[in-house]
Amino acid sequence: MSNATQLLQNIPIDPLTGALTVPIYQTSTYVQHAPGINKGYDYSRTNNPTRETLEKIAAQLENGKIGAAFASGLAAIDAVVKLLKSGDEIIAVDDIYGGAYRLFTQVYEQYGIAIKFVDASEPENIFNAVSEKTKLIWIETPTNPTLKIADIAAIAKIAKANGCLLCVDNTFASPALQQPLTMGADIVVHSATKYLGGHSDVIAGLVITKEENIGARIKFFQNACGAVLAPLDSWLIIRGIETLYLRIKQHCINAQAVAEYLENHPLVDKVFYPGLKSHPNHAIAKKQQKGFGGIVSFSLKQDELQLAEQFVSNTTIFKLAESLGGVKSLISHPANMTHKTIPAEKRKAAGVSDSLIRLSVGIEEAEDLILDLEKTFVQLELLIKEVKAKVSDTTKAEERIYC
Ligand SMILES: *Cc1c(COP(=O)(O)O)cnc(C)c1O
């Protein structure tokens, strides 16, 4: 049975009424027959049937044992870090999601958990960084916004050999394209806000574990710390997941077409998309992913903040907004938005140049998306000419003054 068919088969029919869709159990508590004797539910922070259904579906999607749904992607990440204790160390990918960076460095470092950042596109860098204090290796692949790829199987071997856990933030690829647990990872996390939800209408996170005992620890933290996903939001994620394979297929087709268009545009400097043969990690992406995803980044030959600012403000179909992974195409300017708080030097060293633009390519027709970009490039070209003309006018004026 194909993955898409299996997924839809896995979404249960309500045994009570035969409802085709999963019921939303909008309740905080459950009536008990006698103290402690109930139908498996006593309080919705601890367990809720709608959330439980999502957690089972998510575990099946990622080929894992236990799923746990959280109020956001960051709450999911937070639950995984809680597996560590003071004195332990994390090795994390250097262009990690900004929120995870903030959580690791500004929250967990103060509790004595050390963090080292390395470029994970070379597994050797991780190998060299591991010490006996390392308890967790944290990677994202592809990364944001420069779409670097890490070899999951190779890094999983390093983790195993050194007795530490490997957690993969699988938000960008989604389980439709990549299943890290089958490649040796121990834990997968998702910002379900992105591709799993798919409609930019809910904030949610998931943790999926390969082992039952680690899953039980995560479930303990979920209840003990309380950042649970609400029943209605759980239902929205289930509804989103139903069309995951179909949406991802179109995201991949569109992103490939957009990336190829950009690669041939005279105003574009670099295009970052693992589906391009020019991508430095194209071979690894091809080996471990079923497709290359919906995120494309590119930079301009004239690497100026102002030009990129103009570009992202002028597109029509691509809406200027943070976030990604929804059906509608979005555009963003990392240097001025998601990466604004990172010092310019550090930001540029990580490959986020002034003119870097990130596209979350949606499921519209590729042709329309390319026309939108084409129209915006024409406007940009006019602007560049205007600026040049102004510069030469002032030079002429200055020449007149000085001669
Ligand atoms: C958005 C995102 C997160 C954080 O998820 P929230 O749902 O916004 O808390 C974590 N990792 C990646 C890769 C993301 O894109």
Side-chain angles (χ1 to χ4, degrees):
M1 203 183 286
S2 83
N3 287 337
T5 313
Q6 187 65 56
L7 164 66
L8 292 172
Q9 289 292 307
N10 286 346
I11 296 175
I13 309 295
D14 176 33
L16 204 62
T17 64
L20 185 61
T21 60
V22 176
I24 302 167
Y25 282 89
Q26 193 69 45
T27 186
S28 62
T29 192
Y30 306 81
V31 175
Q32 312 194 2
H33 300 293
I37 300 178
N38 54 49
K39 298 185 171 175
Y41 305 92
D42 54 8
Y43 188 59
S44 276
R45 172 165 32 73
T46 316
N47 208 355
N48 173 281
T50 314
R51 195 178 81 221
E52 187 179 41
T53 301
L54 166 62
E55 290 170 337
K56 279 192 184 141
I57 295 167
Q60 284 164 332
L61 258 181
E62 284 288 7
N63 245 315
K65 269 262 157 51
I66 306 281
F70 291 86
S72 70
L74 270 176
I77 294 171
D78 182 68
V80 176
V81 183
K82 287 194 167 98
L83 292 168
L84 306 191
K85 53 188 190 324
S86 175
D88 291 347
E89 176 189 77
I90 304 172
I91 294 174
V93 56
D94 57 1
D95 47 357
I96 191 167
Y97 175 72
Y101 179 85
R102 183 176 53 207
L103 180 73
F104 290 174
T105 58
Q106 291 184 43
V107 179
Y108 281 101
E109 269 191 344
Q110 69 176 352
Y111 298 127
I113 293 173
I115 322 280
K116 268 193 220 158
F117 294 98
V118 301
D119 178 351
S121 55
E122 291 293 339
E124 209 184 332
N125 294 339
I126 292 184
F127 180 81
N128 292 335
V130 171
S131 75
E132 65 234 37
K133 284 188 180 163
T134 311
K135 291 287 151 33
L136 177 65
I137 297 173
W138 190 281
I139 60 170
E140 288 172 28
T141 178
T143 63
N144 176 30
T146 54
L147 288 302
K148 282 200 245 170
I149 304 289
D151 186 334
I152 298 172
I155 295 170
K157 273 192 200 132
I158 298 171
K160 197 145 286 155
N162 290 281
C164 45
L165 297 171
L166 172 61
C167 180
V168 179
D169 183 334
N170 203 25
T171 300
F172 267 44
S174 93
L177 298 180
Q178 168 176 292
Q179 291 177 303
L181 299 183
T182 64
M183 293 178 231
D186 302 285
I187 305 168
V188 160
V189 301
H190 277 281
S191 169
T193 310
K194 317 290 169 54
Y195 286 106
L196 296 180
H199 293 75
S200 313
D201 52 11
V202 58
I203 302 281
L206 286 162
V207 178
I208 300 111
T209 68
K210 189 161 61 185
E211 304 284 341
E212 195 122 22
N213 57 345
I214 297 170
R217 288 291 289 157
I218 297 288
K219 294 289 283 181
F220 171 79
F221 293 132
Q222 183 191 35
N223 182 50
C225 306
V228 293
L229 192 63
L232 176 61
D233 291 353
S234 299
W235 183 86
L236 279 167
I237 299 295
I238 294 170
R239 216 266 276 265
I241 284 177
E242 288 185 335
T243 55
L244 178 71
Y245 287 95
L246 186 62
R247 283 184 287 109
I248 292 287
K249 220 187 263 179
Q250 194 63 36
H251 283 299
C252 290
I253 291 171
N254 288 359
Q256 184 76 34
V258 164
E260 285 172 12
Y261 159 78
L262 289 168
E263 200 171 41
N264 291 315
H265 199 285
L267 293 182
V268 170
D269 183 27
K270 281 200 198 103
V271 182
F272 303 83
Y273 186 64
L276 293 176
K277 290 207 176 67
S278 59
H279 189 288
N281 313 123
H282 176 67
I284 300 165
K286 208 166 163 181
K287 185 186 79 176
Q288 71 187 14
Q289 296 181 212
K290 293 196 188 90
F292 302 107
I295 309 297
V296 180
S297 296
F298 65 99
S299 58
L300 301 173
K301 281 214 176 104
Q302 237 169 288
D303 187 37
E304 288 167 29
L305 278 171
Q306 193 217 349
L307 287 184
E309 237 168 63
Q310 279 293 325
F311 194 95
V312 301
S313 311
N314 284 353
T315 49
T316 310
I317 298 177
F318 284 93
K319 307 291 184 207
L320 178 59
E322 310 248 345
S323 200
L324 58 107
V327 291
K328 297 174 189 166
S329 287
L330 300 180
I331 191 164
S332 72
H333 182 202
N336 257 335
M337 297 165 75
T338 45
H339 291 61
K340 197 172 178 151
T341 52
I342 302 173
E345 299 277 289
K346 224 174 153 192
R347 168 169 62 73
K348 284 180 191 176
V352 183
S353 59
D354 285 346
S355 70
L356 191 80
I357 291 168
R358 190 191 72 189
L359 304 174
S360 172
V361 181
I363 64 165
E364 304 90 344
E365 278 296 330
E367 201 180 277
D368 297 325
L369 296 175
I370 290 171
L371 276 175
D372 190 27
L373 295 172
E374 181 64 25
K375 175 208 80 181
T376 311
F377 275 120
V378 170
Q379 287 172 326
L380 193 72
E381 209 155 13
L382 282 175
L383 182 81
I384 292 173
K385 273 187 193 144
E386 259 172 46
V387 173
K388 264 192 197 149
K390 251 189 217 148
V391 169
S392 80
D393 272 359
T394 24
T395 338
K396 270 182 209 149
E398 278 167 7
E399 275 164 10
R400 259 180 261 130
I401 293 166
Y402 292 120
C403 61

